[in-house]
Amino acid sequence: MTKKIYKDNELAGLRTGGIIKQKQKDYFILRTRIPGGHLKADLLKKYSTIAKKYGRDYVHVSTRQGIEIPWIHIKNIPKLLKDLKKLNILKGACGPRSRNLIACPGMSVCRFGFVDTEQLAGKLDSVAFGKEVPKKFKVAITGCLNSCAKPQENDLGFQAQGEPEVDLSKCIGCTLCAKVCEKVCLRGKRKPAIIMDENKRPIYRKKNCFFEGDCIRVCPVNAWKTKMVGFAVYIGGKVGRFPKFGVKIADFVKESQIPKIIRNTIRCYNRIAKKGERFGEALERQDLEKIKEEIL
Amino acid sequence: MNRIKGNQYINLKGVPCPLNFVKTKLKLETMGTGEVLEVELDDGEPITNVTASVKEEGHQILKVEKADEYWKLLIKKQ
Ligand code: SF4
Ligand code: SF4
Ligand code: SF4
């Protein structure tokens, strides 16, 4: 068999990102990204077209809310890249760059959600995606304490939280808020944030609160309301060979501060980490208080 | 104490989540707007889950009352 020599223009596509070498000779995987996991049904059809035309009639749905299409032959890459552009399919990242920003479904459909995480993810894609970093950098946004998008396992994670507030004039004294609160606080190893006084009226103790809003959901007469919405910020989480949980550095950060926090964190990561090192690993050598100041 | 009487009654003691909510919902669907349903539910998840779900469906909860080991819920259909 004669060995095929590839021309420069065929190989150029490989340097633009989103194309990963497969273990089989001459085959590559196309990695795409779906910011926040929100994918229009029409675009989904275009994925199908690409998988049929260039791949082997299937896709792999990644854990990072991307769709990967394997079995792309090297000779088809230049054409494939042109098609992707035409169809508005976004390429994913590989190598030393920040990855797709992921999100849970959030408040548009989820009863627990405090913010529209999917929409927010769409808006933040340009801030968070594809930046040069020492190894890789992942951002996640989740709509509540349930943490479905795993903010603690990402280099930077945002977890929406809501501070509750009670209007005692509406309260009918059913005690259900104290009941659900006791349960969440017991699991979180804190004293309850709501206790009932002798007149069966709830007393709120903010320092014990987890800001997940169980009291707001259960109250039969809507005496509990969300007073304030914000985000807890986690940094330094990763999984991989040596997993590490992110640490929380702030509560109730405003949505408008998020772009700045993402930019600052990426800059900080580039400043403190050696090549090939993740943010969480580099943080081990740092004074966390100074890092907080730099990021927030 | 003012006693609100339900137009309809279901006993859901011993019925687990989410079947208790489904039965409540189906019962409410057979009733007219403004009518009151009295539901008896177990302590723990049943009372908190059914209360939250009934509220989410847009009905009005008139009363939540603990009686011995179970709970009574009065729901006004909207
Ligand atoms: S994290 Fe909260 S808001 Fe997001 S999907 Fe999970 S439960 Fe819903
Ligand atoms: S939001 Fe706070 S006060 Fe309400 S149930 Fe949760 S921990 Fe308790
Ligand atoms: S759940 Fe609402 S009505 Fe019941 S005790 Fe708490 S605040 Fe009052």
Side-chain angles (χ1 to χ4, degrees), chain A residues 111 172-176 179-180 183 215-222 224, chain B residues 43-45 47-49 51-53 55-56 60-65 71:
Chain A
R111 63 200 304 209
I172 57 169
C174 73
T175 74
L176 290 184
K179 197 178 171 70
V180 293
K183 196 171 156 194
C215 49
I216 301 167
R217 262 180 303 283
V218 82
C219 179
V221 293
N222 295 322
W224 285 96
Chain B
D43 192 19
E45 304 242 308
I47 180 61
T48 54
N49 288 354
T51 304
S53 301
K55 189 178 75 169
E56 268 171 13
Q60 190 189 347
I61 295 166
L62 302 175
K63 201 165 190 178
V64 186
E65 199 175 55
W71 290 77

Side-chain angles (χ1 to χ4, degrees), chain A residues 107-123:
Chain A
M107 75 177 285
S108 64
V109 290
C110 179
R111 63 200 304 209
F112 296 97
F114 287 110
V115 296
D116 192 335
T117 45
E118 282 185 341
Q119 271 222 351
L120 187 56
K123 281 193 274 181

Side-chain angles (χ1 to χ4, degrees), chain A residues 58-69:
Chain A
Y58 75 93
V59 305
H60 172 79
V61 179
S62 83
T63 57
R64 206 144 188 96
Q65 298 184 332
I67 287 179
E68 294 180 352
I69 302 180

